[in-house]
Amino acid sequence: QARLGESGGGLAQAGDSLRLSCVVSRGTFSRYGLGWFRQAPGKEREFVAAIRWFGGTTYYEDSVKGRFTISRDNSKNTLYLQMNNLKPEDTAVYYCGARELGTGEELQDATSYVYWGQGTQVTVSS
């Protein structure tokens, strides 16, 4: 059973950059499809970005395309989310999720994930 731990959140101003990390322990990291989701107060958890277990194909929610980059380092069992040009509407708790394998469609659906981290807060001021 995998365990996930996020870090890298914090306070930022509009236009700043942050990089989130998610370390995955246990399980076979290279077989995990991985994703980042976020949840703002009073809203449902929403998809941000995902990366497939094989080939590294990536997927992004439209509002973050061109600003956020998801990547993975299989040698470090770590998932990253580089967030550039942050906006106040990016404010949320960010969660990383993992599941074995997964299609692109599945990786964009929070209900298909098996393992979750505890979340890290990102707050962007204008």
Side-chain angles (χ1 to χ4, degrees), residues 54-69:
F54 179 78
T57 302
T58 57
Y59 307 88
Y60 295 95
E61 193 270 329
D62 285 346
S63 70
V64 307
K65 286 181 181 177
R67 300 190 298 122
F68 291 9
T69 302

Side-chain angles (χ1 to χ4, degrees), residues 23-56:
V23 177
V24 181
S25 59
R26 303 183 183 177
T28 304
F29 183 82
S30 60
R31 286 181 56 84
Y32 287 137
L34 302 166
W36 288 100
F37 291 76
R38 64 188 179 188
Q39 189 166 16
K43 296 186 177 181
E44 293 187 352
R45 191 171 298 191
E46 66 172 5
F47 169 72
V48 176
I51 186 166
R52 292 196 69 181
W53 70 281
F54 179 78

Side-chain angles (χ1 to χ4, degrees), residues 5-126:
E6 303 97 334
S7 62
L11 299 175
Q13 293 188 330
D16 284 353
S17 298
L18 287 174
R19 188 175 81 157
L20 305 183
S21 299
C22 174
V23 177
V24 181
S25 59
R26 303 183 183 177
T28 304
F29 183 82
S30 60
R31 286 181 56 84
Y32 287 137
L34 302 166
W36 288 100
F37 291 76
R38 64 188 179 188
Q39 189 166 16
K43 296 186 177 181
E44 293 187 352
R45 191 171 298 191
E46 66 172 5
F47 169 72
V48 176
I51 186 166
R52 292 196 69 181
W53 70 281
F54 179 78
T57 302
T58 57
Y59 307 88
Y60 295 95
E61 193 270 329
D62 285 346
S63 70
V64 307
K65 286 181 181 177
R67 300 190 298 122
F68 291 9
T69 302
I70 188 172
S71 62
R72 61 191 296 162
D73 186 336
N74 288 354
S75 69
K76 296 182 179 180
N77 288 5
T78 303
L79 174 71
Y80 302 100
L81 184 68
Q82 177 67 42
M83 305 187 294
N84 298 330
N85 191 20
L86 284 162
K87 301 178 179 181
E89 50 264 43
D90 295 320
T91 295
V93 177
Y94 283 70
Y95 298 89
C96 62
R99 55 158 292 155
E100 287 215 351
L101 310 180
T103 65
E105 185 174 351
E106 289 170 333
L107 292 177
Q108 296 176 66
D109 180 359
T111 64
S112 79
Y113 284 76
V114 177
Y115 308 110
W116 291 97
Q118 80 286 352
T120 185
Q121 176 71 46
V122 172
T123 303
V124 184
S125 61
S126 58

